[in-house]
mmCIF file of all heavy atoms in Angstrom:
data_model
loop_
_atom_site.group_PDB
_atom_site.id
_atom_site.type_symbol
_atom_site.label_atom_id
_atom_site.label_comp_id
_atom_site.label_asym_id
_atom_site.label_seq_id
_atom_site.Cartn_x
_atom_site.Cartn_y
_atom_site.Cartn_z
ATOM 1 N N HIS U 19 8.948 22.953 21.145
ATOM 2 C CA HIS U 19 9.051 21.617 20.366
ATOM 3 C C HIS U 19 9.485 21.743 18.962
ATOM 4 O O HIS U 19 9.371 22.750 18.378
ATOM 5 C CB HIS U 19 7.563 20.929 20.447
ATOM 6 C CG HIS U 19 6.520 21.588 19.837
ATOM 7 N ND1 HIS U 19 5.583 22.465 20.426
ATOM 8 C CD2 HIS U 19 6.013 21.691 18.532
ATOM 9 C CE1 HIS U 19 4.633 22.837 19.596
ATOM 10 N NE2 HIS U 19 5.023 22.389 18.446
ATOM 11 N N ASN U 48 -6.311 16.793 17.360
ATOM 12 C CA ASN U 48 -6.698 18.278 17.180
ATOM 13 C C ASN U 48 -7.433 18.384 15.846
ATOM 14 O O ASN U 48 -6.802 18.378 14.721
ATOM 15 C CB ASN U 48 -5.518 19.183 17.195
ATOM 16 C CG ASN U 48 -5.895 20.680 17.266
ATOM 17 O OD1 ASN U 48 -6.799 21.081 16.678
ATOM 18 N ND2 ASN U 48 -4.992 21.421 17.919
ATOM 19 N N GLN U 51 -6.836 21.527 13.590
ATOM 20 C CA GLN U 51 -5.481 21.498 12.765
ATOM 21 C C GLN U 51 -5.364 20.225 11.924
ATOM 22 O O GLN U 51 -4.508 20.171 11.115
ATOM 23 C CB GLN U 51 -4.324 21.599 13.757
ATOM 24 C CG GLN U 51 -4.206 22.772 14.564
ATOM 25 C CD GLN U 51 -3.807 24.002 13.765
ATOM 26 O OE1 GLN U 51 -3.282 23.849 12.603
ATOM 27 N NE2 GLN U 51 -4.033 25.146 14.372
ATOM 28 N N VAL U 53 -4.778 17.082 12.837
ATOM 29 C CA VAL U 53 -3.756 16.155 13.175
ATOM 30 C C VAL U 53 -4.013 15.215 14.374
ATOM 31 O O VAL U 53 -4.814 15.578 15.272
ATOM 32 C CB VAL U 53 -2.433 16.872 13.561
ATOM 33 C CG1 VAL U 53 -1.829 17.639 12.383
ATOM 34 C CG2 VAL U 53 -2.674 17.915 14.774
ATOM 35 N N GLU U 55 -1.640 13.591 17.201
ATOM 36 C CA GLU U 55 -0.203 14.007 17.733
ATOM 37 C C GLU U 55 0.221 13.313 18.943
ATOM 38 O O GLU U 55 -0.660 12.987 19.801
ATOM 39 C CB GLU U 55 -0.163 15.512 17.699
ATOM 40 C CG GLU U 55 -1.114 16.008 18.810
ATOM 41 C CD GLU U 55 -1.012 17.440 18.830
ATOM 42 O OE1 GLU U 55 -1.510 18.197 17.969
ATOM 43 O OE2 GLU U 55 -0.431 18.052 19.955
ATOM 44 N N GLN U 72 7.264 16.644 18.761
ATOM 45 C CA GLN U 72 5.735 16.502 18.481
ATOM 46 C C GLN U 72 5.633 15.751 17.103
ATOM 47 O O GLN U 72 6.062 16.323 16.140
ATOM 48 C CB GLN U 72 5.242 17.935 18.411
ATOM 49 C CG GLN U 72 3.655 17.890 18.123
ATOM 50 C CD GLN U 72 3.181 19.336 17.941
ATOM 51 O OE1 GLN U 72 3.594 19.990 16.926
ATOM 52 N NE2 GLN U 72 2.177 19.683 18.795
ATOM 53 N N PRO U 82 -2.913 20.909 6.712
ATOM 54 C CA PRO U 82 -1.552 21.391 6.379
ATOM 55 C C PRO U 82 -0.601 20.209 6.364
ATOM 56 O O PRO U 82 0.347 20.219 5.578
ATOM 57 C CB PRO U 82 -1.333 22.364 7.514
ATOM 58 C CG PRO U 82 -2.615 22.883 7.921
ATOM 59 C CD PRO U 82 -3.666 21.692 7.708
ATOM 60 N N VAL U 83 -0.636 19.280 7.378
ATOM 61 C CA VAL U 83 0.302 18.299 7.446
ATOM 62 C C VAL U 83 0.210 17.293 6.245
ATOM 63 O O VAL U 83 1.235 16.771 5.739
ATOM 64 C CB VAL U 83 0.272 17.559 8.813
ATOM 65 C CG1 VAL U 83 1.159 16.286 8.861
ATOM 66 C CG2 VAL U 83 0.664 18.493 9.927
ATOM 67 N N PHE U 86 1.788 18.981 3.341
ATOM 68 C CA PHE U 86 3.234 18.929 3.534
ATOM 69 C C PHE U 86 3.887 17.558 3.096
ATOM 70 O O PHE U 86 4.873 17.473 2.477
ATOM 71 C CB PHE U 86 3.599 19.266 5.038
ATOM 72 C CG PHE U 86 5.060 19.211 5.267
ATOM 73 C CD1 PHE U 86 5.835 20.397 5.128
ATOM 74 C CD2 PHE U 86 5.721 18.089 5.807
ATOM 75 C CE1 PHE U 86 7.312 20.332 5.437
ATOM 76 C CE2 PHE U 86 7.197 17.983 6.017
ATOM 77 C CZ PHE U 86 7.889 19.203 5.805
ATOM 78 N N ARG U 89 4.077 16.992 -0.548
ATOM 79 C CA ARG U 89 5.079 17.709 -1.208
ATOM 80 C C ARG U 89 6.465 17.209 -0.842
ATOM 81 O O ARG U 89 7.395 17.266 -1.696
ATOM 82 C CB ARG U 89 4.995 19.252 -0.861
ATOM 83 C CG ARG U 89 3.913 19.995 -1.488
ATOM 84 C CD ARG U 89 3.924 21.465 -0.946
ATOM 85 N NE ARG U 89 2.873 22.323 -1.598
ATOM 86 C CZ ARG U 89 2.402 23.374 -0.957
ATOM 87 N NH1 ARG U 89 2.765 23.672 0.319
ATOM 88 N NH2 ARG U 89 1.548 23.986 -1.559
ATOM 89 N N HIS U 95 8.501 19.470 10.144
ATOM 90 C CA HIS U 95 7.444 20.357 9.753
ATOM 91 C C HIS U 95 7.510 21.823 10.228
ATOM 92 O O HIS U 95 7.252 22.652 9.521
ATOM 93 C CB HIS U 95 6.054 19.666 10.074
ATOM 94 C CG HIS U 95 4.920 20.406 9.705
ATOM 95 N ND1 HIS U 95 4.143 21.297 10.554
ATOM 96 C CD2 HIS U 95 4.249 20.545 8.410
ATOM 97 C CE1 HIS U 95 3.116 21.653 9.797
ATOM 98 N NE2 HIS U 95 3.194 21.345 8.608
ATOM 99 N N HIS U 96 7.804 21.864 11.486
ATOM 100 C CA HIS U 96 7.869 23.234 12.122
ATOM 101 C C HIS U 96 8.692 23.311 13.335
ATOM 102 O O HIS U 96 8.961 22.184 13.939
ATOM 103 C CB HIS U 96 6.414 23.883 12.312
ATOM 104 C CG HIS U 96 5.693 23.201 13.383
ATOM 105 N ND1 HIS U 96 4.802 22.122 13.179
ATOM 106 C CD2 HIS U 96 5.632 23.348 14.854
ATOM 107 C CE1 HIS U 96 4.286 21.662 14.338
ATOM 108 N NE2 HIS U 96 4.719 22.458 15.321
ATOM 109 N N LEU U 119 -0.071 34.213 11.021
ATOM 110 C CA LEU U 119 -1.103 33.430 10.224
ATOM 111 C C LEU U 119 -2.361 33.403 10.986
ATOM 112 O O LEU U 119 -3.436 33.069 10.336
ATOM 113 C CB LEU U 119 -0.584 32.030 9.787
ATOM 114 C CG LEU U 119 0.539 31.993 8.869
ATOM 115 C CD1 LEU U 119 1.119 30.655 8.669
ATOM 116 C CD2 LEU U 119 0.030 32.570 7.451
ATOM 117 N N GLY U 126 -3.968 24.675 21.025
ATOM 118 C CA GLY U 126 -2.760 23.777 20.704
ATOM 119 C C GLY U 126 -2.707 22.601 21.628
ATOM 120 O O GLY U 126 -3.656 22.390 22.571
ATOM 121 N N THR U 127 -1.644 21.734 21.487
ATOM 122 C CA THR U 127 -1.596 20.595 22.298
ATOM 123 C C THR U 127 -1.501 20.795 23.838
ATOM 124 O O THR U 127 -1.007 21.959 24.199
ATOM 125 C CB THR U 127 -0.339 19.777 21.843
ATOM 126 O OG1 THR U 127 -0.430 18.426 22.358
ATOM 127 C CG2 THR U 127 0.977 20.411 22.209
ATOM 128 N N ILE U 132 -1.724 28.865 20.652
ATOM 129 C CA ILE U 132 -0.693 28.949 19.573
ATOM 130 C C ILE U 132 -1.058 29.829 18.453
ATOM 131 O O ILE U 132 -2.179 30.133 18.141
ATOM 132 C CB ILE U 132 -0.425 27.461 18.960
ATOM 133 C CG1 ILE U 132 -1.735 26.943 18.368
ATOM 134 C CG2 ILE U 132 0.067 26.527 20.042
ATOM 135 C CD1 ILE U 132 -1.508 25.681 17.509
ATOM 136 N N PHE U 134 0.727 30.776 14.345
ATOM 137 C CA PHE U 134 1.920 30.280 13.430
ATOM 138 C C PHE U 134 2.334 31.570 12.638
ATOM 139 O O PHE U 134 1.509 32.512 12.433
ATOM 140 C CB PHE U 134 1.325 29.247 12.393
ATOM 141 C CG PHE U 134 1.254 27.943 12.961
ATOM 142 C CD1 PHE U 134 0.143 27.402 13.561
ATOM 143 C CD2 PHE U 134 2.338 27.031 12.900
ATOM 144 C CE1 PHE U 134 0.083 26.172 13.979
ATOM 145 C CE2 PHE U 134 2.297 25.764 13.358
ATOM 146 C CZ PHE U 134 1.123 25.289 14.021
ATOM 147 N N PRO U 137 6.126 30.687 6.847
ATOM 148 C CA PRO U 137 7.559 30.192 6.668
ATOM 149 C C PRO U 137 8.268 30.967 5.664
ATOM 150 O O PRO U 137 9.560 31.087 5.855
ATOM 151 C CB PRO U 137 7.332 28.712 6.102
ATOM 152 C CG PRO U 137 5.911 28.662 5.609
ATOM 153 C CD PRO U 137 5.124 29.675 6.420
ATOM 154 N N LYS U 138 7.661 31.686 4.758
ATOM 155 C CA LYS U 138 8.386 32.467 3.759
ATOM 156 C C LYS U 138 8.992 33.737 4.398
ATOM 157 O O LYS U 138 9.826 34.385 3.835
ATOM 158 C CB LYS U 138 7.509 32.804 2.572
ATOM 159 C CG LYS U 138 7.115 31.683 1.733
ATOM 160 C CD LYS U 138 8.298 31.085 1.053
ATOM 161 C CE LYS U 138 8.012 29.885 0.236
ATOM 162 N NZ LYS U 138 9.137 29.171 -0.282
ATOM 163 N N GLY U 142 12.165 30.095 5.531
ATOM 164 C CA GLY U 142 11.719 28.792 5.046
ATOM 165 C C GLY U 142 11.261 27.797 6.196
ATOM 166 O O GLY U 142 11.074 26.724 5.873
ATOM 167 N N LEU U 144 8.533 27.055 8.965
ATOM 168 C CA LEU U 144 7.257 27.264 9.567
ATOM 169 C C LEU U 144 7.484 27.332 11.057
ATOM 170 O O LEU U 144 8.077 26.451 11.613
ATOM 171 C CB LEU U 144 6.289 26.128 9.239
ATOM 172 C CG LEU U 144 4.848 26.334 9.948
ATOM 173 C CD1 LEU U 144 4.095 27.610 9.561
ATOM 174 C CD2 LEU U 144 3.993 25.064 9.495
ATOM 175 N N GLU U 146 6.072 28.336 14.964
ATOM 176 C CA GLU U 146 4.835 28.483 15.895
ATOM 177 C C GLU U 146 5.293 29.216 17.221
ATOM 178 O O GLU U 146 6.513 28.962 17.589
ATOM 179 C CB GLU U 146 4.405 27.048 16.182
ATOM 180 C CG GLU U 146 3.193 26.970 17.101
ATOM 181 C CD GLU U 146 2.866 25.426 17.463
ATOM 182 O OE1 GLU U 146 3.073 24.491 16.517
ATOM 183 O OE2 GLU U 146 2.379 25.177 18.499
HETATM 184 C C1 LIG Y 201 4.285 25.123 3.302
HETATM 185 N N1 LIG Y 201 5.422 25.677 3.014
HETATM 186 C C2 LIG Y 201 6.270 25.330 3.961
HETATM 187 C C3 LIG Y 201 5.648 24.571 4.955
HETATM 188 N N2 LIG Y 201 4.355 24.520 4.442
HETATM 189 N N3 LIG Y 201 7.593 25.751 4.195
HETATM 190 C C4 LIG Y 201 8.314 25.230 5.228
HETATM 191 N N4 LIG Y 201 7.730 24.465 6.119
HETATM 192 C C5 LIG Y 201 6.380 24.107 6.017
HETATM 193 N N5 LIG Y 201 5.788 23.349 6.965
HETATM 194 C C6 LIG Y 201 5.761 26.486 1.851
HETATM 195 C C7 LIG Y 201 5.253 25.753 0.563
HETATM 196 O O1 LIG Y 201 6.064 24.840 0.137
HETATM 197 C C8 LIG Y 201 5.212 27.031 -0.329
HETATM 198 O O2 LIG Y 201 6.502 27.264 -0.791
HETATM 199 C C9 LIG Y 201 4.824 28.119 0.615
HETATM 200 O O3 LIG Y 201 5.202 27.656 1.886
HETATM 201 C C10 LIG Y 201 3.441 28.675 0.641
HETATM 202 O O4 LIG Y 201 2.618 27.626 0.320
HETATM 203 P P1 LIG Y 201 1.153 27.806 -0.113
HETATM 204 O O5 LIG Y 201 0.857 26.789 -1.122
HETATM 205 O O6 LIG Y 201 0.784 29.223 -0.412
HETATM 206 O O7 LIG Y 201 0.434 27.465 1.209
HETATM 207 P P2 LIG Y 201 0.007 26.163 1.861
HETATM 208 O O8 LIG Y 201 -1.376 25.892 1.542
HETATM 209 O O9 LIG Y 201 1.007 25.117 1.625
HETATM 210 O O10 LIG Y 201 -0.016 26.589 3.389
HETATM 211 C C11 LIG Y 201 1.294 26.829 4.030
HETATM 212 C C12 LIG Y 201 0.984 27.377 5.376
HETATM 213 C C13 LIG Y 201 -0.171 26.465 6.103
HETATM 214 C C14 LIG Y 201 2.149 27.492 6.186
HETATM 215 C C15 LIG Y 201 0.383 28.784 5.251
HETATM 216 O O11 LIG Y 201 0.450 25.114 6.092
HETATM 217 C C16 LIG Y 201 -0.477 26.935 7.513
HETATM 218 O O12 LIG Y 201 -1.322 27.760 7.697
HETATM 219 N N6 LIG Y 201 0.175 26.219 8.595
HETATM 220 C C17 LIG Y 201 -0.181 26.544 9.918
HETATM 221 C C18 LIG Y 201 -1.016 25.471 10.611
HETATM 222 C C19 LIG Y 201 -0.339 24.118 10.602
HETATM 223 O O13 LIG Y 201 0.658 23.821 9.963
HETATM 224 N N7 LIG Y 201 -0.920 23.211 11.411
HETATM 225 C C20 LIG Y 201 -0.388 21.815 11.559
HETATM 226 C C21 LIG Y 201 0.345 21.648 12.718
HETATM 227 P P3 LIG Y 201 6.799 27.563 -2.448
HETATM 228 O O14 LIG Y 201 8.219 27.865 -2.460
HETATM 229 O O15 LIG Y 201 6.333 26.384 -3.130
HETATM 230 O O16 LIG Y 201 5.832 28.802 -2.703
HETATM 231 S S1 LIG Y 201 -0.679 21.803 14.151
HETATM 232 C C22 LIG Y 201 0.276 21.848 15.541
HETATM 233 O O17 LIG Y 201 1.387 21.774 15.427
HETATM 234 C C23 LIG Y 201 -0.502 22.146 16.876
HETATM 235 C C24 LIG Y 201 -1.508 21.060 17.051
HETATM 236 C C25 LIG Y 201 0.374 22.205 18.118
HETATM 237 O O18 LIG Y 201 1.664 22.498 17.967
HETATM 238 O O19 LIG Y 201 -0.112 22.256 19.279
#
Side-chain angles (χ1 to χ4, degrees):
H19 63 264
N48 185 325
Q51 297 289 344
V53 292
E55 61 181 71
Q72 181 185 60
V83 172
F86 178 91
R89 283 181 180 150
H95 179 261
H96 68 268
L119 293 169
T127 190
I132 61 175
F134 282 92
K138 291 296 177 190
L144 177 61
E146 178 186 330

